Each structure stands twice: as C-alpha cells, then as structure tokens.
C-alpha cells in the first residue's frame, strides 16, 4: 500500500460532519484521490451521535466556556435502580444520542440526492408525525391538513375561514407577491393579524410551522412564508400524514457515516483521530501542491484542502439544547391520526413565547422539543429521547429545564427523567446559521456542490452531481443458488 | 422477482486487517474469480449479493466488504448495524495479522448487535510454505472467542471458500431471535420509489 505521504492527493478533506461527508459522497465516483481525516475519534463532527459513554467523554471536552461550536456542556443521570427496566438507564450502547436531530422535509433536495446517489439504500427513514402546541398545561395537536382543520373544535368558524384562506395563499405565495411584498419586513405574527385577522392562538399555530428560534417580532414574513409553504406542500409526498422524515440511528449522524463509507468504497482513505495542524500553500517547489501537516506528524501533498469554516465569530447565534431520556414510550404522542400513515418515530412539541417561565425571567423566544421514540434506535424500548432547543440567553438553561418538566407533566403516565445533557451550540458563522436550523437546510447542499466544483475543476458536470449507478452488488442478483447443505 | 421478496436477507460482514484476504474470499465465493496480481485495495466493492440455501431453505446473503476502512480502523457503527454474522479473516502466512485479531474481536463486541455470530477464517492456506500461524492456533482462538466455526481457506485454489459462508448462515438461522429483527420495520418510510417515490420524478 502506498504511504500517505507519497500520494499526490486531489483533495484532503478535514472533518466528517454532514457537509464534508456529503462532499466525500459527491466525489465518490470521480476517481479523484481523496484523503478524509477527522480530529475526533468518531465520525460526524458537529453532527455526530454518541453512546452514553461517548457523551461522557464529549462533555469532558466541551464542558467549559471555550469558544468552540459546543460549550457549557453538563450532564445529569438518574441513580434509580428500579426493577422496572424502563425506569433506569440501560447499558451505554443501548443509546445513540445525536447532535444532529434535524428533521428533513420530504421535498428537501437532500432526499433526492440520497436517492440518485443510491446511498439511501443504506439508510432507514422514519416519519415525523404529529406536531403539538403546549398551552395551558395541555398538548394540542396541530391540524394536519384541511380535513383536520374542519374537525378541530378548538378553532372557531371565523378563524377556520381565515385559516383556509391563508393556507390557500401560502402554498402559492410566490405567485401572490402583491399580498405580502408590502409586508416583507413585518413580523409574521403582525402580518397574520392584520391581513388575516388571526387571533393569537392561530398566530402561534402558524408560527410553529416555521420552527423559528427568534422572537415573534424578529420572525419576518419573507423568511417565514417559504418555510410554511415547505411544511404544507411536503405533507403526503411519501405517504399520508407526514411531511418530514428522520434517518434512524441518529439522523444526520447516520447520513454522514453512510456517505463516508461511499467515499471509502470509491477509494477514499479514512483516518480518524487525526486532524489538520497547519498547511503551507502551494508554491513552485511544491509542484503547485498544498502541503498539509497532519496532527499525526505526517505531511501530505494535495491539490485542494477542504477545511471547515474557521471563523469563530463571537456574534454568531448561539442556542441552548437539552437531550433528555425519559422513562416512557410516549405512545399517545406518536399515535396515527391519518389513515394509512406510517407509525411516526418523531413528534414535534412547540412552546410559543410565554408558555413557561422561571422566577424573574419569562420565555421570550419559542422552545421546541423533538421527541424520538425508541423506534429511532436511539434508546431502548419503553423509553424516549427528547431534544429541546431554544435561543441561548442568560436563563435559557433553566427555561429549557422547566419546559421539559412542563411537557412531561402533561402526560398521563407521568414519565420520569433518566438522563439530561445540557449544552450550547454556536452557529458556524454570523452569515451562516444552517447548523442550528431544526429542519435540514438545503443551502448546505449548495455549499457541497460548490466545494465539489472546486475539486472537480473542469471535469465538473452539473448533470452528474450526486447521480450514480447502483454498485454491481445490487444487480447481479441472479437466480443461481448455492446449495449449502 | 416476486418470489424473491419472501427470501430472508442475512447481513454478513467481513472484517480483519488489510491484506488478510477478505476481498479475495468474497469475490472468489460470489463471482468465482481470483486475481493474484491485485495487491491494492479492491476499489468499488460495496457489497455482494448471493443466494444460499441451507437445509432446503433459501436465504439472500448481503455480504459487505470493508471498503478499505479497516486500514486505519475507521469502520463506522453503521457498517456493523444489523449484521447477523461477522467473518473475521487473518492471513496464515502473516503472524501479525493473526495477533491483530484480538482487537478485531473487541471491535465486534463493542459494535455488533447482541447475539450476532462470529466465524474465524485463516486465509491463504495455499501458502503453506510461508505459514506462521498453526491450524491449531486458529482453532483455539475461535473456541476462546466463542465463534460458531473456524476454517482455513484458499481463494487462490478455491479450497474451502464456501465453507465459512455456509456454516455461518447455518449458525445464524439457528437463532430465530436474530432473524425476527429484520421483519420489524413498521415505521420505515420508502423515499426511493414504491409508494409515491422519488426515482422517476424530476421535480
Ligand atoms: N496465495 C494467495 N494469495 C491470496 C489469497 N487471498 C488473497 N490473496 C492475496 O493477498 C492480497 C490481499 O488480498 P485482499 O483480498 O485484497 O485482502 P483484504 O485487504 O483483506 O481485502 C492480494 O494480493 C491477494 O491476491 C489466497 O488465498 N492465496
Ligand atoms: Mg479488501
């Protein structure tokens, strides 16, 4: 085998986060020589998934206030030794807790690219089912389509008409600019109130669909309409009753592993626990190649070095997050409400502003909890994993704690908390907050494509981007049977 | 095709150090080919499908190769996921490859689903003159590690190449708890065709 230092690499890719893994996938049939490294001993970088033991190690690393993407991590575990299996923590690897629980809307280009690149065969997708709003200590299910709205008793008839009018408008908003152009910089809530006479509760329903982390005032019309439209038009694309999916076994984390394997099948070399220390730009005495000093002391030569965004802007947005394991399968949350729909594995719970408070601080921005059932493979049967998120503030940690408790208190079987990981995550840059989006943001794919273009150079053919044939294994399924015994 | 759907699929992995002969064994078994010239990693082999029947019942084997990710021990969790059986391969003419098996067994223990069976293979038995690992040593390791079987093979001469696959499948199908797992896919959503899928759609 050729030593790494002798090879003239076409690209050295640093980091196996979702974006760079998708790049590796995009390059996997290019015959380019790819060296893909990650300073962490695991795949996935900021989109990794962990066993409980791996979380312990991760918390050690990101426990402080260091200006990394992740900071202020802290962990609480139950000491319960209950005889009931679901009332206590199982073994470390019974859990796959993910830093990347983003839901993927069915119309996302990511899904079509996973299909045309054929790696979707290695992934299992599960439905994101019911959406709920928590108000006055009860969970109210968001209406799922028109039929549902008519049957919803919590909405009065006047509001129903307004709602239908709005829904009709929003799925066609691109052709009805005259209706919203004058209001682009208004808040969505104000727009709904002034143009459609929505009462607050209905404003909340619509705002919830945007998954906005900002205050209602800062959630603008021009940002919101495409997101609401995406939500509504995504329902039913792959089956009734759901508009988004999540890959089993840790969401984005699993996509990144599968994409890296595709890179390896295409000849890419993978090294974990090794990062890029520094690089020397190409010059005449390096044949126009960049010299890359790896943390394992190797110096390799490459035409392109792809690194994660390094700018650690202190102004970039920060969110607070809790990952919690609870002692219930939360069956009522995932229950089918539309005939023929698949059993959902993910459910979304929205806390509009002002739903919870702590002494001396009110909740000024929405809180979202994504509940994952054990069908996601992230926890053992009889338990669920909650992923709670809100914009970081002085009291956001406490507010998230209260929100998780408030949510559990609405449930009949009063589940208990078994495990709680708190951390903060900063956006990759002021200009780019895609990593914080609660739904997979397709602009990540534009970045992947432009990096792919750089590495491919003149060979870049847009029509071939992420479009591959099945590997032979799939097709040579001839009828010949090996008669074993 | 229709009848194919009813054939249970078994996921079998190959692991072990680089150069041990994993890809050669896979390709010899499935395609009956052997390329003695190739010394570099086999590029482009993702997995191979093969039908095999044991005791009169047919199974579809999904045989996964390491794709070179064993070189720096960077196989991912997802590689091991759902595997029913794991074939661990060393080279009988390379003692280091045999000694490395300890760590590969540990990796299996921490990554494979509980109950997955293991099978140990000593490859390149035609290289008897250069042998540095005794047959008995392999046998003993397999026993100590609770493997369901052990044998030496030669992908070059074809000797024993079917044996590991037939025997590991026989052991897997004797564990119904391993098989029931695959059927439990109630919540899975098809995105690639079938139910209103993406394949033919240019939108
Ligand atoms: N003599 C002999 N050589 C073999 C045998 N199996 C594999 N090889 C050679 O050993 C080298 C490594 O084999 P390969 O299957 O690529 O190993 P892998 O890295 O474990 O996949 C290649 O040069 C093969 O031709 C065998 O049974 N006999
Ligand atoms: Mg190989």
């Amino acid at each position: 085998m050729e030593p790494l230092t002798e090879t003239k690499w076409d690209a050295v890719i640093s980091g196996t986060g979702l974006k760079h893994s998708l790049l590796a996938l995009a390059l996997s049939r290019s015959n380019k020589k790819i060296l893909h490294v990650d300073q962490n001993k695991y795949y996935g970088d900021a989109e990794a998934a962990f066993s409980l033991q791996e979380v312990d190690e991760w918390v050690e690393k990101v426990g402080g206030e260091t200006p990394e993407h992740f900071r202020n991590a802290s962990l609480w575990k139950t000491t319960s030794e209950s005889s009931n299996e679901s009332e206590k923590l199982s073994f470390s690897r019974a859990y796959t807790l993910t830093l990347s629980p983003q839901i993927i809307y069915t119309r996302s280009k990511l899904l079509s690219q996973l299909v045309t690149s054929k790696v979707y065969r290695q992934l299992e997708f599960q439905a994101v089912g019911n959406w709920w709003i928590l108000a006055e200590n009860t969970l109210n299910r968001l209406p799922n389509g028109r039929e549902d709205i008519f049957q919803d008793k919590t909405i009065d008839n006047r509001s129903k008409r307004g709602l239908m009018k709005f829904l009709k408008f929003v799925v066609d908003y691109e052709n009805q600019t005259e209706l919203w152009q004058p209001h682009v910089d208004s808040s969505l809530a104000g727009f709904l109130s002034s143009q459609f006479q929505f009462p607050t509760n209905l404003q909340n329903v619509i705002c919830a669909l945007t998954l906005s982390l900002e205050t209602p005032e800062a959630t603008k019309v021009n940002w919101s309409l495409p997101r609401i439209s995406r939500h509504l038009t995504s329902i039913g694309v792959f089956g009734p009753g759901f508009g988004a999916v999540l890959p089993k076994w840790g969401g984005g984390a699993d996509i990144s592993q599968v994409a890296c394997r595709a890179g390896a099948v295409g000849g890419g070399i993978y090294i974990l626990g090794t990062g890029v220390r520094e690089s020397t730009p190409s010059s005449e005495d390096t044949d126009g190649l960049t010299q890359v000093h790896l943390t394992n002391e190797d110096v390799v030569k490459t035409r392109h070095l792809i690194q994660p965004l390094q700018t650690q802007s202190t102004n970039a947005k920060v969110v607070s997050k809790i990952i919690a394991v609870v002692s219930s399968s939360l069956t009522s949350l995932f229950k089918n409400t539309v005939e023929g729909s698949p059993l959902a594995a993910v459910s979304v719970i929205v806390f509009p502003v002002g739903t919870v408070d702590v002494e001396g601080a009110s909740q000024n921005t929405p809180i979202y909890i994504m509940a994952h059932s054990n069908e996601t493979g992230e926890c053992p049967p009889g338990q669920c994993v909650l992923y709670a998120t809100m914009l970081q503030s002085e009291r956001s940690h406490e507010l998230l704690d209260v929100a998780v408790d408030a949510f559990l208190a609405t449930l009949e079987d009063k589940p208990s908390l078994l495990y709680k990981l708190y951390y903060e995550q900063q956006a990759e840059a002021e200009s780019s907050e895609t990593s914080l989006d609660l739904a997979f943001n397709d602009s990540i794919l534009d970045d992947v494509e432009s990096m792919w273009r750089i590495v491919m150079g003149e060979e870049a053919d847009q029509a071939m981007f992420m479009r591959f044939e099945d590997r032979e294994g799939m097709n040579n399924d001839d009828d010949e049977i090996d008669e074993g015994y | 095709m229709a009848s194919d759907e009813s054939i249970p699929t078994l996921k079998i992995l190959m692991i072990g150090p680089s150069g041990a002969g994993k890809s050669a064994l896979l390709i010899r078994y499935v395609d009956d080919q052997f390329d003695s010239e190739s010394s570099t990693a086999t590029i482009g082999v993702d997995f191979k499908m093969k039908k095999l029947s044991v005791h009169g019942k047919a199974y579809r084997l999904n045989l996964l190769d390491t794709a070179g990710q064993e070189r720096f021990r960077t196989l991912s969790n997802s590689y091991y996921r759902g595997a029913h059986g794991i074939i661990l391969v060393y080279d009988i003419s390379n003692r280091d490859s045999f000694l490395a098996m300890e760590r590969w067994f540990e990796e299996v223990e921490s990554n494979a689903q509980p109950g997955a069976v293991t099978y140990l293979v000593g490859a390149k038995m035609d290289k008897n003159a250069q042998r540095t690992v005794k047959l008995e040593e392999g046998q003993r390791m397999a026993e100590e590690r609770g493997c369901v079987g052990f044998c030496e093979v030669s992908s070059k001469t074809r000797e024993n190449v079917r044996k590991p696959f037939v025997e590991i499948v026989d052991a897997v199908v004797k564990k119904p708890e391993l098989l029931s797992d695959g059927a439990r896919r109630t919540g899975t959503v098809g995105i690639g065709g079938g139910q209103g899928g993406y394949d033919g759609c240019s939108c």
Side-chain angles (χ1 to χ4, degrees):
Chain A
M1 240 171 298
E2 198 179 32
L4 305 177
T5 48
E6 303 283 301
T7 307
K8 285 184 182 170
W9 300 98
D10 288 304
V12 171
I13 305 175
S14 169
T16 58
L18 195 48
K19 200 186 279 184
H20 286 185
S21 301
L22 290 171
L23 173 63
L25 166 62
L27 291 165
S28 65
R29 309 287 179 104
S30 65
N31 289 322
K32 300 277 178 212
K33 284 186 186 297
I34 310 290
L35 176 63
H36 200 166
V37 302
D38 194 313
Q39 61 181 5
N40 300 303
K41 291 199 177 74
Y42 48 82
Y43 283 100
D45 205 355
E47 284 86 25
F50 300 129
S51 66
L52 298 188
Q53 196 188 326
E54 288 164 332
V55 172
D56 289 348
E57 291 160 24
W58 185 75
V59 168
E60 283 281 299
K61 215 178 69 185
V62 299
E65 286 187 44
T66 46
E68 298 283 328
H69 291 315
F70 297 102
R71 59 176 82 139
N72 290 328
S74 63
L75 193 54
W76 173 89
K77 293 177 199 179
T78 179
T79 50
S80 158
E81 288 294 340
S82 164
S83 58
N84 182 343
E85 287 297 323
S86 66
E87 291 286 342
K88 62 184 173 196
L89 285 174
S90 187
F91 58 101
S92 163
R93 289 192 1 87
Y95 299 87
T96 304
L97 306 182
T98 181
L99 300 177
S100 173
Q102 291 100 331
I103 61 171
I104 306 168
Y105 275 105
T106 53
R107 289 197 181 277
S108 168
K109 266 198 301 180
L110 175 62
L111 295 183
S112 54
Q113 291 185 1
L114 292 174
V115 169
T116 58
S117 66
K118 302 298 190 289
V119 293
Y120 76 105
R121 295 194 202 281
Q122 270 95 61
L123 296 160
E124 279 180 60
F125 293 91
Q126 295 174 314
V128 177
N130 302 323
W131 289 52
W132 308 82
I133 283 196
L134 195 134
E136 284 148 29
N137 302 322
T138 46
L139 285 177
N140 299 309
R141 197 170 59 78
L142 291 194
N144 195 340
R146 281 158 195 256
E147 300 290 307
D148 242 17
I149 293 171
F150 282 121
Q151 278 155 31
D152 198 319
K153 292 185 191 68
T154 64
I155 310 173
D156 63 61
N157 280 338
R158 195 173 111 94
S159 299
K160 271 180 195 169
R161 278 194 301 275
L163 194 52
M164 296 308 282
K165 189 175 144 209
F166 172 73
L167 295 182
K168 226 172 133 186
F169 150 71
V170 76
V171 295
D172 189 40
Y173 77 98
E174 284 165 299
N175 298 320
Q176 303 194 29
T177 41
E178 70 287 354
L179 242 167
W180 58 277
Q181 273 299 344
H183 308 278
V184 274
D185 291 325
S186 317
S187 73
L188 174 65
F191 174 70
L192 294 173
S193 164
S194 69
Q195 301 303 303
F196 296 89
Q197 288 76 49
F198 279 14
T200 322
N201 67 334
L202 223 46
Q203 292 170 24
N204 285 341
V205 167
I206 298 303
C207 287
L209 305 182
T210 65
L211 294 171
S212 168
L213 294 165
E214 301 289 344
T215 62
E217 297 72 46
T219 302
K220 304 292 184 199
V221 167
N222 58 340
W223 181 84
S224 303
L225 293 184
R227 294 177 70 99
I228 300 166
S229 170
R230 170 180 67 175
H231 181 97
L232 295 169
T233 57
S234 293
I235 295 170
V237 171
F238 292 125
F242 68 99
V245 295
L246 184 85
K248 192 171 174 170
W249 308 108
D254 215 48
I255 299 180
S256 107
Q257 292 191 8
V258 164
C260 286
R261 175 169 159 89
V265 170
I269 304 291
Y270 280 80
I271 314 182
L272 299 177
T274 295
V276 169
R277 176 172 297 147
E278 55 179 4
S279 59
T280 330
S282 58
S283 65
E284 272 180 21
D285 27 277
T286 59
D287 301 335
L289 298 172
T290 300
Q291 295 215 10
V292 182
H293 299 250
L294 301 177
T295 53
N296 69 1
E297 304 306 328
D298 278 350
V299 181
V300 296
K301 297 186 277 299
T302 182
R303 286 174 46 232
H304 300 283
L305 171 62
I306 310 283
Q307 288 193 277
L309 277 179
Q310 289 287 300
T311 46
Q312 238 125 53
S313 157
T314 44
N315 294 325
K317 192 191 280 186
V318 181
V319 293
S320 289
K321 293 200 166 249
I322 281 181
I323 302 180
V325 178
V326 299
S327 67
S328 163
S329 28
L330 306 180
T331 332
S332 59
L333 224 54
F334 303 106
K335 209 171 54 209
N336 278 0
T337 51
V338 177
E339 209 182 295
S341 61
L343 181 62
V346 179
S347 188
V348 184
I349 301 102
V350 185
F351 297 63
V353 292
T355 308
V356 294
D357 54 27
V358 293
E359 220 186 296
S362 51
Q363 180 208 340
N364 298 325
T365 59
I367 295 174
Y368 299 88
I369 295 181
M370 305 275 179
H372 292 197
S373 81
N374 76 282
E375 290 292 329
T376 58
E378 294 171 24
C379 67
Q383 301 181 357
C384 279
V385 186
L386 309 181
Y387 295 89
T389 308
M390 81 181 296
L391 209 58
Q392 194 261 349
S393 67
E394 212 174 314
R395 309 291 290 276
S396 52
H397 188 164
E398 293 159 82
L399 284 163
L400 276 185
D401 275 340
V402 172
V404 169
D405 291 342
F407 163 66
L408 295 179
T410 63
L411 301 163
E412 245 162 61
D413 57 345
K414 300 283 177 273
S416 44
L417 269 177
L418 304 177
Y419 185 92
K420 195 156 64 173
L421 167 66
Y422 173 83
Y423 64 94
E424 291 164 8
Q425 179 174 4
Q426 182 161 39
E428 57 276 33
E430 223 175 314
S431 55
S432 170
E433 295 169 349
T434 55
S435 62
L436 302 186
D437 203 328
L438 295 178
F440 179 83
N441 193 309
D442 276 14
S443 67
I444 289 174
L445 301 171
D446 299 335
D447 293 350
V448 173
E449 192 173 331
S450 52
M451 293 188 294
W452 172 79
R453 276 182 193 290
I454 290 169
V455 177
M456 293 300 283
E458 296 193 337
E459 293 163 62
D461 172 2
Q462 155 82 58
M464 299 305 291
F465 180 66
M466 292 277 197
R467 287 192 173 270
F468 310 131
E469 295 299 312
D470 267 311
R471 294 276 186 192
E472 71 175 313
M474 205 56 214
N475 303 326
N476 71 348
D477 196 12
D478 45 37
D479 278 332
E480 196 183 308
I481 294 194
D482 181 8
E483 300 288 343
Y485 283 145
Chain B
M1 275 304 275
S3 66
D4 276 9
E5 301 304 314
S6 59
I7 303 180
T9 300
L10 305 184
K11 181 172 169 180
I12 310 287
L13 311 180
M14 316 283 291
I15 63 167
S18 294
K22 300 179 293 298
S23 303
L25 176 57
L26 188 60
I27 290 165
R28 177 57 103 185
Y29 174 60
V30 177
D31 301 331
D32 194 22
Q33 288 169 5
F34 180 76
D35 180 3
S36 58
E37 303 299 307
S38 88
S39 58
T40 50
T42 329
I43 289 175
V45 178
D46 192 355
F47 58 93
K48 298 252 175 201
M49 289 290 206
K50 174 92 178 171
K51 277 185 224 155
L52 169 70
S53 77
V54 292
H55 302 302
K57 184 156 171 41
Y59 297 92
R60 189 201 312 268
L61 307 191
N62 181 3
L63 302 162
L64 273 82
D65 199 4
T66 52
Q69 285 181 313
E70 79 278 28
R71 180 170 170 196
F72 296 102
R73 309 185 69 92
T74 57
L75 290 165
S76 61
N77 304 336
S78 70
Y79 180 66
Y80 286 94
R81 205 156 281 147
H84 301 96
I86 296 139
I87 298 177
L88 295 98
V89 183
Y90 67 88
D91 173 355
I92 66 139
S93 67
N94 176 341
R95 191 148 187 92
D96 283 344
S97 79
F98 178 69
L99 297 176
M101 295 323 282
E102 292 293 331
R103 282 184 62 193
W104 284 108
F105 274 109
E106 281 162 26
E107 179 151 334
V108 169
E109 260 158 45
S110 58
N111 286 290
Q113 63 174 328
V117 303
T118 54
Y119 194 103
L120 186 63
V121 169
K124 311 188 192 178
M125 69 185 291
D126 56 283
K127 292 172 84 176
N128 211 10
Q130 290 110 294
R131 177 189 285 277
T132 54
V133 185
K134 293 200 199 88
L135 179 74
E136 298 74 33
E137 289 179 292
Q139 247 153 6
R140 201 178 323 124
M141 178 180 279
E143 268 164 39
E144 280 169 10
R145 287 294 184 165
C147 295
V148 295
F150 165 78
C151 70
E152 289 187 348
V153 306
S154 169
S155 305
K156 189 173 177 184
T157 68
R158 290 197 183 83
E159 193 167 355
N160 277 348
V161 286
R162 291 177 55 241
K163 196 171 152 88
F165 300 96
V166 175
E167 292 188 354
I168 197 168
V169 167
D170 190 39
V172 167
V173 301
K174 283 191 178 122
K175 298 184 93 176
E177 71 276 13
L178 266 178
L179 289 178
S180 60
D181 197 61
R184 209 179 46 90
R185 282 183 157 209
T186 43
T188 304
V189 174
I191 67 159
Q195 32 172 235
Y198 241 111
D199 268 346
C201 170
S202 60
C203 49

